[in-house]
Amino acid sequence: MVAQTTQRQDSFFTLPSHPVGYLAIVATLTTAGIHLLLGPQVMGFSQTLGTLFILNGLGFLGGVLLYSSRYWRPELYLVAAGYAIVTILALFAFQGFSFDAFYMQGNLNPLAVAAKVAEAVLALCAIYLYRTSAP
């Protein structure tokens, strides 16, 4: 009788091998949660924007699943960084290219700030991880 062992390469999901990978996951889950939380609320005044919020949140969750899977490749760090940067720019495209984009009804919107900080952290982590994974 031969004992079977499961190696890390055989499992579908794996944990990050670098501490920055954990930071990237936390940042990604933060912005995904914010977008999924706000999506239905935004739907109240714009179905298109609310749908985009929900799809964006789901996209970030899909990214975490892909990152944790055996299908992840170093080149995808650049895709993750680009996705995060495009999401940051999308706020300004919809709200205007000024710091007023972070305000809602005259008050600073902490969820908008938290989401964009999380996306910036994700972009920086992804670029760092790409650079450290290069041969």
Side-chain angles (χ1 to χ4, degrees):
M1 180 177 222
V2 177
Q4 293 181 345
T5 59
T6 304
Q7 295 178 330
R8 182 179 173 112
Q9 297 158 330
D10 292 337
S11 65
F12 188 78
F13 291 107
T14 59
L15 296 174
S17 60
H18 196 286
V20 174
Y22 288 98
L23 179 59
I25 289 174
V26 169
T28 304
L29 292 176
T30 299
T31 192
I34 291 170
H35 282 89
L36 291 173
L37 175 73
L38 292 179
Q41 294 175 12
V42 173
M43 222 30 115
F45 62 86
S46 172
Q47 286 189 349
T48 300
L49 196 54
T51 301
L52 290 173
F53 263 68
I54 292 168
L55 289 174
N56 194 29
L58 292 174
F60 279 116
L61 288 179
V64 170
L65 289 175
L66 180 61
Y67 176 59
S68 301
S69 79
R70 64 175 157 210
Y71 299 110
W72 185 262
R73 301 291 177 262
E75 299 80 24
L76 294 175
Y77 287 121
L78 296 178
V79 174
Y83 188 80
I85 292 167
V86 166
T87 304
I88 292 169
L89 294 175
L91 170 73
F92 296 107
F94 281 102
Q95 300 287 66
F97 289 92
S98 72
F99 283 110
D100 291 339
F102 291 103
Y103 286 82
M104 185 171 56
Q105 299 173 348
N107 295 318
L108 185 64
N109 184 347
L111 291 177
V113 173
K116 298 311 148 191
V117 167
E119 291 157 9
V121 168
L122 170 59
L124 292 172
C125 288
I127 291 167
Y128 175 82
L129 290 166
Y130 175 74
R131 292 183 56 120
T132 59
S133 69

